[in-house]
Amino acid sequence: MTQSNLKLLTLYKVGDVPVKNRVFLAPMTRSRAGEGNVVAPVTATYYAQRASGGLLISEGTQVSQEGVGYPATPGIHTSAQIAGWRVVTDAVHAAGGKIFAQLWHVGRQSLPVFQPHGGLPVAPSALADQGQAYTATGPVPYGVPRALETADIARIIADFGHAAQNAKLAGFDGVELHGANGYLIDQFLRDGSNQRTDAYGGSIANRVRFLAELLDAVIPVWGAGRVGVRLSLAVSRPSLTDSDPKSLVAAIAQLAETKKIAYLHMIQPVAGVMLKPGQPDLAPVVRQHYHGTLILNGGYTRDVAEAAIQAGVADAIAFGVPFLANPDLPARLAANAPLNAPQFDKFYGGGTAGYTDYPMLA
Ligand SMILES: Cc1cc2nc3c(=O)[nH]c(=O)nc-3n(C[C@H](O)[C@H](O)[C@H](O)COP(=O)(O)O)c2cc1C
């Protein structure tokens, strides 16, 4: 394939946002934020280097202190954090790019050390994630979280609404709700982690209610055409399960259709560490119920991505590790050029090495 016939590199419109190609930057935490969870100035360089992607989606960005689960990750709930992000969005825009903020609350995937007043992390139900938290001093098992009171839920929804407003002040082009990877929204969606007996648990409609109310908080700020949702319902692990992911994703796709949001962004791995045997293929279910943009992600290479776009399986592909290691990924895909190898030991934390020093094509 030559540059001229790669559909991946054609103009597209995501909701209300025109983009120059369908090669998107997947959200990736890089743990380089400074004091007060403010993005580092070098982060502006990192994103601006990748501005040739059609749409950049920021690393997970906390809507509140309660939403923090890792060291050196940025937030968007203080004025210093907003000012830090403004430097990033200005740099991306100056380089001709577009960037959405990924709004994040980790729920139970946190530790008291990250919480306001050292309290327990919160979740839909008092069920521990079986994974481990990363701390400055090494991995620590997650504890049993505090089950949210019904009244707490309204407060968290308001936190997302404020964060959406802050994302506007910070100059983003839109927002993505982080409903993937076992964090708070995902914890509400799946019946393995949500065993509530109030209006937010039980039936699929009840488990989707939290996401629906978040959309109601965020859409008035941005307009539906600048709001997306990320999901990873095809991927499960022992403490993150759902008994019927196809029906669940169908309900979410119907919600997305009703609300007319800009996109659904699904981790539907075709290769890589997230690909699991027996993983359900949820993309066709989404297509059946939702007519907006479908972004797929997870182990895509140039040719597999192009085939998915050509076949209409997806409208755009988000690249994670390949874009992390290749700031000029669209140009490399166009030229079918070799890719830089990722430096795994520099994914999280550190300075510019393995962050802003990956070479561009000569
Ligand atoms: C270093 C790193 C950080 C990540 N951080 C996030 C994140 O903040 N939010 C998110 O939704 N996914 C995150 N992910 C998942 C990626 O967005 C993506 O789903 C994953 O890398 C698979 O895509 P790929 O095969 O193209 O890399 C992260 C992945 C990596 C490698």
Side-chain angles (χ1 to χ4, degrees):
M1 287 178 221
T2 61
Q3 175 167 9
S4 55
N5 67 11
L6 271 189
K7 197 171 176 192
L8 262 178
L9 297 171
T10 54
L11 297 174
Y12 184 66
K13 197 169 178 196
V14 188
D16 293 342
V17 183
V19 294
K20 59 195 167 202
N21 61 51
R22 299 152 185 262
V23 177
F24 293 1
L25 175 69
M28 280 180 289
T29 294
R30 305 303 309 275
S31 300
R32 283 159 168 93
E35 195 63 32
N37 300 86
V38 176
V39 282
V42 67
T43 297
T45 306
Y46 167 77
Y47 284 104
Q49 285 173 338
R50 288 158 182 77
S52 63
L55 182 65
L56 314 186
I57 302 156
S58 83
E59 61 210 274
T61 301
Q62 299 107 18
V63 301
S64 61
Q65 181 64 38
E66 183 191 76
V68 179
Y70 303 87
T73 50
I76 191 150
H77 53 94
T78 71
S79 47
Q81 292 166 355
I82 296 168
W85 276 118
R86 174 53 91 166
V87 178
V88 174
T89 63
D90 282 349
V92 169
H93 293 149
K98 305 259 168 79
I99 181 165
F100 274 35
Q102 190 186 51
L103 301 184
W104 191 25
H105 188 307
V106 301
R108 68 183 183 177
Q109 287 186 232
S110 182
L111 295 171
V113 67
F114 297 121
Q115 293 297 307
H117 317 298
L120 284 180
V122 299
S125 301
L127 298 165
D129 188 288
Q130 284 166 19
Q132 294 198 313
Y134 297 90
T135 70
T137 51
V140 176
Y142 291 117
V144 177
R146 174 173 76 81
L148 288 161
E149 303 288 337
T150 308
D152 288 324
I153 296 176
R155 196 244 320 141
I156 294 179
I157 291 167
D159 288 343
F160 273 86
H162 291 141
Q165 286 165 359
N166 292 344
K168 213 163 203 190
L169 293 174
F172 283 98
D173 296 289
V175 291
E176 174 177 287
L177 298 181
H178 192 347
N181 297 346
Y183 298 114
L184 185 65
I185 298 172
D186 206 5
Q187 290 159 31
F188 268 93
L189 293 175
R190 304 198 203 205
D191 56 14
S193 47
N194 180 350
Q195 296 180 359
R196 300 181 71 85
T197 54
D198 66 0
Y200 296 91
S203 65
I204 287 179
N206 278 0
R207 282 181 277 126
V208 171
R209 188 180 312 280
F210 180 58
L211 175 60
E213 292 184 358
L214 289 174
L215 288 173
D216 288 340
V218 165
I219 288 172
V221 178
W222 277 99
R226 288 176 182 269
V227 173
V229 171
R230 191 170 215 222
L231 301 170
S232 61
L233 296 170
V235 183
S236 57
R237 47 190 160 85
S239 52
L240 187 71
T241 59
D242 189 77
S243 57
D244 185 2
K246 284 195 172 165
S247 299
L248 178 55
V249 90
I252 297 167
Q254 283 159 7
L255 173 71
E257 179 71 15
T258 307
K259 303 278 183 198
K260 306 228 168 318
I261 63 170
Y263 66 79
L264 284 176
H265 177 183
M266 295 222 309
I267 302 177
Q268 179 68 57
V270 291
V273 290
M274 292 171 95
L275 180 65
K276 295 282 178 337
Q279 162 196 287
D281 185 4
L282 302 181
V285 184
V286 168
R287 280 293 209 211
Q288 207 184 323
H289 297 283
Y290 172 61
H291 300 101
T293 293
L294 178 58
I295 308 168
L296 292 182
N297 162 258
Y300 279 86
T301 57
R302 173 185 189 269
D303 292 348
V304 175
E306 175 63 12
I309 302 290
Q310 291 278 356
V313 173
D315 301 301
I317 300 296
F319 292 87
V321 173
F323 218 153
L324 180 159
N326 295 275
D328 54 352
L329 186 65
R332 288 182 192 246
L333 299 183
N336 206 7
L339 300 183
N340 299 321
Q343 299 170 52
F344 295 100
D345 62 332
K346 299 192 174 63
F347 276 12
Y348 302 103
T352 56
Y355 191 43
T356 52
D357 63 353
Y358 284 103
M360 305 267 185
L361 279 178

